[in-house]
Amino acid sequence: MKSAAIREAFIRYFENQAHTQVASSSLVPGNDPTLLFTNAGMVQFKDAFLGREKRGYVRAVSSQRCVRAGGKHNDLENVGYTARHHTFFEMLGNFSFGDYFKHDAIKFAWEFLTSPEWMAIPAEKLWVTVYAEDEEAYQIWNEQMGVPAERMVRIGDNKGEKYASDNFWSMGDTGPCGPCTEIFYDHGADVAGGPPGSPDEDGDRYIEIWNNVFMQFNRDADGTMTPLPAPSVDTGMGLERISAVMQGVHSNYEIDLFQNLIKATAAVLNVSDTEHTSLRVIADHIRSCAFLVSDGVIPSNEGRGYVLRRIIRRAARHGNKLGAEAAFFYKLVAPLAVEMGEAYPELVTRQAQIEKVLLQEEEQFAKTLDQGMKILEQDLQGLNGTQIPGDTVFRLYDTYGFPVDLTADIAREQGLSLDMDGFEQAMNAQRERARSASNFKVDLSSELNIDGETEFCGYQNLAEEGAVVALLQDGQ
Ligand code: ATP
Ligand code: MG
Ligand code: MG
Ligand code: MG
């Protein structure tokens, strides 16, 4: 079953259950300036859940484009390392605004996954977690859906352990919150990893496919939880993960959509080993970058634009690793539009514009990428220990336009880490120099352009530099 058909089936199933189909909203949240990107299906419904907005329906279904590459959910570092995380993915979701609650949500999820008319997944391949204190959800799964205790895990009782999953969701420090129940698929003994709630749950054997959140309480400023008069349901299932299950493959990167993108990437780069991790990373990154540009984000030195810049530069670096000699990333917009243009026609109508933005960023970075890589290789040869010195990290950042996370990505591939304290010292020293220089009205741009033969392509002014450092510090 192709991923496009699964998306359709999900919408159809919930339409049959009286849900109204709602189109995906933009990756740039319209109603929440504190949120970097839309990272879940519920984002566009926040006000409906809070009761601030009345809609013409109490049940909704959507396939929402999501980016998790910054802010609260950041999966950028997972890409290339797990079989299940992307910077961009689609979240299938059904929502109840004060209408149905636990029983129907669980029944719908179970029926969609296991009924022969729908996904027909063998029940014994599915595991379920519930919040430790949510006896009601446990009973519904166990007694009414017939999921045996051996494949159910109560999560929350192992809080404080390093591996504890969290099955209690909250919108913020105050406001709606409540228990979750998550459905996992067992990819079988030939894949490494333990069941949910166990110390090796982070492997790729038991993969979380669907999260059902029960908004049951309102938490006020002193932590008191009062039951909501009309509890709600918010769910999310990763389209790529359910596609892997339905296509009998153990990695999201092996599903139809990704295989086509990976092949296109290999062709553009003239690479024959289609298993190469860098191809997966690039195929992941073209999706987030193309959709972000399509939603109006452009590469810059702060906020959303800086996240976009970092992803494009990472893709360029992986291309460089595979021997790319010229700009290539922008050429992947066309195959992406072939794969996803039917569901997202804006990819087709904005194709030329997206290509232009990506090409420009690639060309700008190309000027310094090669030189920066040479500097780094030289430094690595003389390296004592396992940390890349802060001065090197800073020089790459400041003179060669290497975002710090890009250098960290290279370091990690070689089992190294970065001296971040040293980096910050170098950054502060630079700021001091710039400040005293500006007291004498010295031209800042020449001060920043340390190496005459390279073009500065980091931050453009000191205010932005501060923003970039803040961004790195809070992990956005
Ligand atoms: P995980 O524990 O695997 O990181 P999660 O618990 O962070 O997932 P949720 O926030 O519960 O994920 O999101 C709902 C669903 O969205 C998940 O069950 C999964 O199917 C999908 N999903 C979440 N993050 C990603 C991602 N980075 N790439 C692809 N799918 C994702
Ligand atoms: Mg996660
Ligand atoms: Mg999880
Ligand atoms: Mg989850």
Side-chain angles (χ1 to χ4, degrees):
M1 198 171 187
K2 293 210 158 135
S3 41
I6 297 170
R7 189 196 293 118
E8 285 302 306
F10 185 87
I11 305 275
R12 206 157 20 89
Y13 173 83
F14 282 99
E15 276 182 338
N16 291 353
Q17 310 295 340
H19 289 62
T20 298
Q21 183 184 356
V22 179
S24 169
S25 63
S26 169
L27 288 171
V28 178
N31 57 355
D32 189 349
T34 65
L35 189 63
L36 206 50
F37 300 118
T38 297
N39 56 18
M42 62 82 58
V43 169
Q44 67 166 321
F45 299 116
K46 229 170 178 172
D47 287 341
F49 283 122
L50 291 169
R52 286 188 195 140
E53 185 191 334
K54 278 273 162 275
R55 301 205 171 208
Y57 44 81
V58 289
R59 297 177 175 202
V61 57
S62 69
S63 175
Q64 174 67 50
R65 56 185 180 275
C66 295
V67 164
R68 292 192 174 184
K72 189 178 165 203
H73 290 283
N74 187 353
D75 287 328
L76 184 57
E77 315 304 326
N78 285 325
V79 173
Y81 291 91
T82 74
R84 67 186 194 279
H85 288 106
H86 305 297
T87 53
F88 172 97
F89 64 100
E90 285 179 83
M91 197 185 280
L92 304 169
N94 55 291
F95 308 91
S96 155
F97 310 110
D99 187 37
Y100 62 85
F101 201 43
K102 291 181 192 177
H103 177 269
D104 283 1
I106 291 174
K107 189 188 78 185
F108 292 154
W110 191 243
E111 182 174 55
F112 180 73
L113 293 175
T114 60
S115 156
E117 278 173 67
W118 298 94
M119 299 297 108
I121 298 171
E124 61 275 12
K125 298 290 280 174
L126 297 170
W127 284 59
V128 169
T129 68
V130 296
Y131 181 57
E133 289 159 36
D134 193 356
E135 212 43 56
E136 188 186 354
Y138 189 96
Q139 299 301 339
I140 297 170
W141 280 117
N142 184 237
E143 288 166 20
Q144 301 182 42
M145 305 301 135
V147 177
E150 307 89 81
R151 292 201 309 279
M152 289 194 60
V153 184
R154 296 177 198 259
I155 299 279
D157 44 353
N158 53 4
K159 265 211 171 99
E161 299 283 344
K162 172 164 122 288
Y163 54 83
S165 306
D166 193 347
N167 267 17
F168 196 86
W169 178 92
S170 44
M171 199 176 277
D173 293 336
T174 59
C177 56
C180 313
T181 178
E182 296 193 319
I183 303 167
F184 287 68
Y185 180 81
D186 177 2
H187 279 268
D190 51 335
V191 185
S198 74
D200 52 349
E201 67 174 358
D202 270 339
D204 284 326
R205 174 169 174 183
Y206 297 87
I207 290 194
E208 175 190 328
I209 53 174
W210 202 344
N211 187 1
N212 277 242
V213 177
F214 304 125
M215 291 185 202
Q216 191 167 359
F217 306 103
N218 184 53
R219 184 158 54 196
D220 63 24
D222 68 11
T224 313
M225 300 216 287
T226 34
L228 288 168
S232 293
V233 175
D234 152 33
T235 90
M237 172 156 65
L239 174 62
E240 300 75 7
R241 294 190 190 182
I242 181 71
S243 298
V245 170
M246 296 308 292
Q247 295 173 18
V249 294
H250 298 325
S251 159
N252 286 4
Y253 291 96
E254 289 169 39
I255 67 173
D256 53 342
L257 188 155
F258 265 107
Q259 279 301 301
N260 292 340
L261 270 183
I262 287 169
K263 280 190 199 119
T265 310
V268 161
L269 287 170
N270 210 0
V271 171
S272 53
D273 170 20
T274 53
E275 300 283 300
H276 201 293
T277 303
S278 288
L279 290 179
R280 297 183 168 198
V281 175
I282 294 166
D284 171 86
H285 288 6
I286 190 60
R287 299 210 310 159
S288 49
C289 293
F291 276 97
L292 284 171
V293 175
S294 167
D295 278 341
V297 182
I298 51 162
S300 75
N301 287 318
E302 45 185 6
R304 299 181 173 117
Y306 192 58
V307 176
L308 172 60
R309 166 161 287 166
R310 285 162 50 202
I311 307 175
I312 299 172
R313 291 186 179 197
R314 274 182 175 230
R317 202 278 296 182
H318 280 280
N320 177 278
K321 197 174 159 190
L322 291 172
E325 275 162 8
F328 69 95
F329 195 48
Y330 77 101
K331 293 183 186 165
L332 301 174
V333 181
L336 177 66
V338 170
E339 283 305 310
M340 299 189 70
E342 207 175 306
Y344 297 95
E346 64 269 29
L347 274 185
V348 180
T349 54
R350 296 184 196 149
Q351 184 180 331
Q353 190 190 335
I354 300 167
E355 287 169 347
K356 199 172 143 205
V357 171
L358 297 184
L359 175 59
Q360 198 180 352
E361 179 67 15
E362 263 192 288
E363 283 183 332
Q364 193 186 343
F365 188 44
K367 292 180 188 155
T368 54
L369 173 60
D370 267 335
Q371 284 169 296
M373 286 306 297
K374 283 198 192 98
I375 298 277
L376 183 58
E377 272 152 30
Q378 273 164 20
D379 273 33
L380 287 184
Q381 270 165 19
L383 190 71
N384 274 326
T386 59
Q387 266 202 341
I388 300 183
D391 280 341
T392 304
V393 181
F394 179 70
R395 193 160 161 226
L396 287 171
Y397 166 72
D398 187 49
T399 310
Y400 299 96
F402 281 42
V404 174
D405 67 289
L406 188 154
T407 308
D409 191 39
I410 302 169
R412 183 174 170 192
E413 285 169 8
Q414 318 205 10
L416 304 172
S417 61
L418 307 185
D419 171 14
M420 283 307 290
D421 289 343
F423 170 76
E424 262 154 46
Q425 275 166 24
M427 176 75 96
N428 287 335
Q430 162 90 321
R431 212 177 278 146
E432 253 334 290
R433 278 198 304 278
R435 196 171 293 133
S436 51
S438 71
N439 288 340
F440 296 99
K441 295 203 167 29
V442 170
D443 180 11
L444 254 183
S445 58
S446 64
E447 163 76 15
L448 290 171
N449 199 350
I450 298 169
D451 182 341
E453 57 179 41
T454 56
E455 196 180 291
F456 173 72
C457 52
Y459 48 81
Q460 323 276 259
N461 63 48
L462 291 173
E464 286 182 356
E465 173 211 330
V468 168
V469 175
L471 209 64
L472 291 168
Q473 281 166 345
D474 63 52
Q476 294 209 337

